[in-house]
Amino acid sequence: MGNIVAKLLTAGAALAASFIAKKATDGTWHFVTGKEVPDNPDDPDVQLTEAVLFAILSGALIALARMLANRQTTKVIGASQGKSSAQVADKT
């Protein structure tokens, strides 16, 4: 039962982190470029350079946010189960 709760907590944290990273990506993009986020970077009307830079920025921020969320979730789960973070990480 505890393993299911741990997986749900980890998945929830990853979803929340992705949402936060999306907001950070949008804000960073607007701050740096002064433009709105491309509606659809796959659209041929969007410049290739802009689409590539947006993909790099969004991918990096989402990956970073998810990694940080997973690390923190692992610490919380480990502390609640009286285990080290490494023991919990091996099971999730």
Side-chain angles (χ1 to χ4, degrees):
M1 180 71 171
N3 197 22
I4 293 171
V5 172
K7 288 182 187 256
L8 288 173
L9 184 60
T10 302
L15 287 172
S18 294
F19 176 79
I20 293 167
K22 167 112 173 68
K23 294 294 183 184
T25 301
D26 293 352
T28 302
W29 183 261
H30 184 70
F31 178 77
V32 171
T33 65
K35 298 179 182 178
E36 292 299 316
V37 173
D39 289 332
N40 182 5
D42 296 334
D43 187 349
D45 291 336
V46 175
Q47 289 183 341
L48 180 61
T49 311
E50 184 177 359
V52 169
L53 291 175
F54 182 75
I56 291 169
L57 175 68
S58 63
L61 288 177
I62 290 171
L64 177 63
R66 290 187 67 191
M67 183 268 305
L68 292 172
N70 285 338
R71 288 174 57 93
Q72 190 61 36
T73 303
T74 300
K75 286 181 186 178
V76 169
I77 293 168
S80 72
Q81 295 177 350
K83 299 177 181 177
S84 72
S85 297
Q87 290 172 321
V88 175
D90 290 339
K91 292 185 179 183
T92 56

